[in-house]
């Protein structure tokens, strides 16, 4: 292979095949850099050693497919290239075969970066030749193999579940597949193998996993695609801690494949703790947590500073942001106030408090609580008089809004604090588990409670026995958990409901009648009556794991043939209309919607 040869191969006869990466013509000497997925080797065509090969090299151009027969030799010391793994050697070719020519490509795979992403996606087969993309997919393969081997060695069986199933509610729109045999009826592509993996637990397969393809018809963004890959697993008789150890084990193996050594166990916190300390349920722990200053500001000081008495006061620091000029500080304060809009939240200028005899002790108390370094930016947010306790019916909205500001300012000052830079070590990766999510969330538009995770998640036992399922849905906690890395949710899981009576009660609590339960989930409720063991599991996004390990900013960098933000495959031009005959076969017709 083109990336294999080293100085130890000096004198060895070889055959190399690949693409012409670059061509340099020096008259009697022509140099071809020949590339395959392992790397690049320089080929020398010397007219005196092989006139026929030299003649063919004259017509070779970038992206021509060639085979070179020759002998490895060391380069002269002053001609060696330390930037190339093969830079100590070259191959002196005695024969050159032009296996295929190539049109001039719209961009060169030899380029490090291609600015126009649409052109990259249209000519994806050229884009994938680039060394960066080849590296990403080698990494993806090694990560997937490490996970598969770890779980297999731990006693998990890899079992495939169907792509064509029935439509079930899982939080996003289904992709529907019309049936030709059963006119007017549809299969759905699975958003996840959720019900099937639970049925596998009923079936006696105590440890299941699958690197599963999933499909969701939802609005796209950088870390979301309509089809994606999950590391899906389920096991019987689990505790949350047992599932955490399994996941930490295969993630350690996966990261080891990328030469990163993790040190589990990972940090754990409840959902409420995550919201209070980070303002989000997927905390980025590379940044300092928020500080609750509610008790630091006395009622008298609140009155003097016109701060709402009963609401929280929160602060955070952005490390190493540096000293701001007066103009920069005024601009930043205006930016923060624009960010909060009409919510009632406002910036408290701690620096100005220091200059006032009345408030200087408060400034000192805040500094004592937050402990900023000299170069840190201190941000304190207070609720003005009249700020509502709830916003869009959410009692935790202040924590979430301040948490969002924390992330925005962290991005703004990223070049200064450097906490997002990749060093190639385990310090780059901050994992945490978030547990005890709310069981339900209020849908204000529909005026109903919805399942916050999915309706097969088990609530805490004491929330069942206390009657909170009926009397206080907002207080019910789920045995649900997320694994988070650097502020990105890698995966979600839960301990499942394994009793039919509890599952039926959860369905009823979501407004589902007994008849609707039977119509939509009758087969599953029936299965729960035949000795279903306690079980639980999790699903992690393989694409997201590889994206983070590759240092990429979009899933499109680690999915071979991705869609655009408008869910279009530019390379094959999909989706497209189909023929009238195909529609008739499926008993379908299309109409133009006004």
């Amino acid at each position: 292979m083109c990336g294999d040869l080293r100085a130890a191969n000096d004198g060895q006869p070889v055959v190399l095949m690949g693409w012409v990466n670059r061509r340099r013509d020096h008259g009697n000497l022509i140099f071809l850099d020949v590339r395959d997925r392992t790397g690049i080797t320089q080929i020398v065509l010397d007219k005196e050693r092989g006139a026929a090969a030299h003649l063919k090299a004259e017509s070779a151009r970038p992206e021509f497919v060639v085979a070179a027969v020759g002998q490895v030799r060391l380069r002269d010391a002053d001609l060696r290239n330390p930037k190339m793994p093969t830079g100590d050697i070259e191959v002196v070719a005695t024969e050159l075969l032009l296996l295929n020519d190539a049109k001039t490509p719209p961009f060169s795979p030899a380029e490090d970066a291609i600015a126009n992403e649409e052109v990259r996606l249209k000519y994806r087969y050229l884009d994938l030749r680039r060394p960066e993309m080849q590296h990403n997919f080698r990494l993806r393969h090694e990560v997937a193999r490490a996970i598969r081997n770890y779980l297999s060695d731990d006693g998990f069986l890899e079992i495939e579940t169907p792509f064509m199933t029935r439509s079930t509610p899982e939080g996003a729109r289904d992709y529907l597949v019309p049936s030709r045999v059963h006119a007017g009826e549809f299969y759905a592509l699975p958003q996840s193998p959720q019900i099937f993996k639970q049925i596998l637990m009923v079936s006696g397969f105590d440890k299941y996993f699958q690197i599963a393809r999933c499909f969701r018809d939802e609005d796209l963004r950088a870390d979301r695609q309509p089809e994606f890959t999950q590391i899906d697993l389920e096991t019987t008789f689990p505790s949350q801690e047992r599932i955490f150890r399994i996941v930490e084990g295969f993630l350690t193996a996966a990261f080891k494949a990328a030469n990163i050594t993790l040190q589990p166990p990972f940090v754990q916190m409840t959902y409420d703790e995550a919201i209070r300390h980070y303002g989000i349920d997927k905390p980025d722990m590379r940044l300092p947590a928020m500080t609750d200053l509610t008790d630091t500001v006395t009622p008298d000081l609140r009155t003097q500073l016109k701060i709402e008495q009963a609401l929280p006061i929160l602060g955070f620091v952005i490390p190493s942001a540096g000293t701001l000029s007066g103009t920069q500080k005024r601009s930043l304060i205006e930016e923060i106030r624009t960010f909060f809009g009409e919510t009632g939240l406002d910036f408290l200028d701690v620096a100005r408090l220091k200059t006032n005899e009345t408030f200087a002790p408060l400034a000192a108390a805040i500094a004592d609580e937050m402990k900023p370094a000299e170069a840190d930016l201190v941000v304190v947010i207070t609720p003005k008089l009249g700020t509502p306790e709830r916003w869009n019916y959410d009692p935790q909205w202040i924590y979430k809004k301040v948490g969002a500001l924390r992330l925005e300012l962290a991005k703004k000052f990223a070049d200064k604090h450097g906490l997002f830079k990749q060093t190639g070590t385990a310090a780059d990766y901050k994992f945490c588990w978030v547990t005890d999510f709310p069981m339900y969330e209020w849908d204000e538009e529909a005026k109903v409670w919805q399942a916050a995770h999915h309706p097969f998640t088990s609530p805490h036992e004491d929330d069942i026995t206390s009657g909170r399922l009926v009397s206080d849905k907002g207080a019910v906690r789920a045995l649900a958990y997320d694994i988070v890395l650097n502020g990105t949710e890698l995966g979600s899981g839960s301990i499942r409901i394994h009793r039919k009576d509890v599952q039926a009660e959860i369905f009823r609590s979501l407004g589902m009648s007994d008849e609707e339960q039977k119509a939509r989930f009758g087969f599953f409720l029936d299965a729960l009556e035949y000795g279903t063991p306690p079980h639980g599991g999790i699903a992690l996004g393989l694409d997201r794991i590889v994206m983070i390990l590759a240092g990429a900013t979009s899933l499109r960098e680690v999915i071979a043939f991705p869609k655009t933000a408008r869910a279009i495959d530019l390379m094959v031009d999909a989706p497209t209309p189909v023929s009238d005959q195909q529609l008739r076969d499926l008993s379908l017709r299309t109409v133009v919607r006004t």
Side-chain angles (χ1 to χ4, degrees), residues 578-588:
V578 296
S579 70
D580 290 341
Q581 182 59 50
Q582 287 174 290
L583 291 174
R584 281 195 293 272
D585 288 345
L586 295 169
S587 303
L588 295 176

Side-chain angles (χ1 to χ4, degrees), residues 130 171 176 184 221 276 352 390 396 421 463 474 496:
R130 296 192 300 117
L176 300 178
R221 58 192 185 205
R276 288 187 170 273
R352 287 188 65 185
R390 293 172 179 252
Q396 296 175 312
K421 289 180 180 177
D463 288 333
R496 322 300 187 189

